[in-house]
Amino acid sequence: QGELVESGGGLVQAGGSLSLSCAASGIPFSSTGMGWYRQAPGKQRELVAFISVGGFTLFADSVKGRFIISRNNVKSTVYLQMNSLKPEDTARYYCYVALGVGGLWGQGTQVTVSS
């Protein structure tokens, strides 16, 4: 059984930075793309960033130029560096991998940006 465990969330002032980590276990990490999603209260879960096996990245328009996604295949960990944070970035952030039926989600980590 695979598992994804996120960490690094917290409370930060607008303009600040946070770095999220997602440690994977029980999955073929080095051969799968990884994604970060977020869900704010009352809103649908949305894709924030994705990184492919080869390091190709894509970002939601709302975070382009501010967020960076990276991966360490030795540590089976994917990272999300979030800079110039805005109050609208407040959400629970989830790690995701498209494996199995419905994919695999982590439990999420809360990010709160105060104005």
Side-chain angles (χ1 to χ4, degrees):
Q1 294 281 9
E3 185 179 26
L4 302 174
V5 179
E6 301 94 334
S7 62
L11 174 64
V12 65
Q13 288 189 330
S17 298
L18 279 176
S19 181
L20 306 184
S21 299
C22 170
S25 60
I27 66 169
F29 183 87
S30 61
S31 59
T32 61
M34 300 293 297
W36 282 98
Y37 285 73
R38 67 185 180 187
Q39 187 167 21
K43 294 188 177 181
Q44 288 189 331
R45 193 171 295 189
E46 62 174 356
L47 176 66
V48 175
F50 170 84
I51 184 165
S52 73
V53 171
F56 169 79
T57 60
L58 63 83
F59 299 90
D61 288 343
S62 58
V63 307
K64 280 181 182 175
R66 300 189 296 122
F67 289 13
I68 300 168
I69 187 171
S70 61
R71 63 189 297 159
N72 184 323
N73 289 339
V74 174
K75 294 183 177 181
S76 295
T77 301
V78 61
Y79 305 95
L80 186 68
Q81 177 65 40
M82 305 185 294
N83 302 315
S84 302
L85 283 162
K86 304 175 181 180
E88 50 264 43
D89 293 318
T90 295
R92 192 163 185 85
Y93 284 70
Y94 298 88
C95 188
Y96 173 79
V97 60
L99 290 175
V101 178
L104 180 65
W105 294 93
Q107 83 288 350
T109 185
Q110 179 66 34
V111 171
T112 303
V113 184
S114 63
S115 57

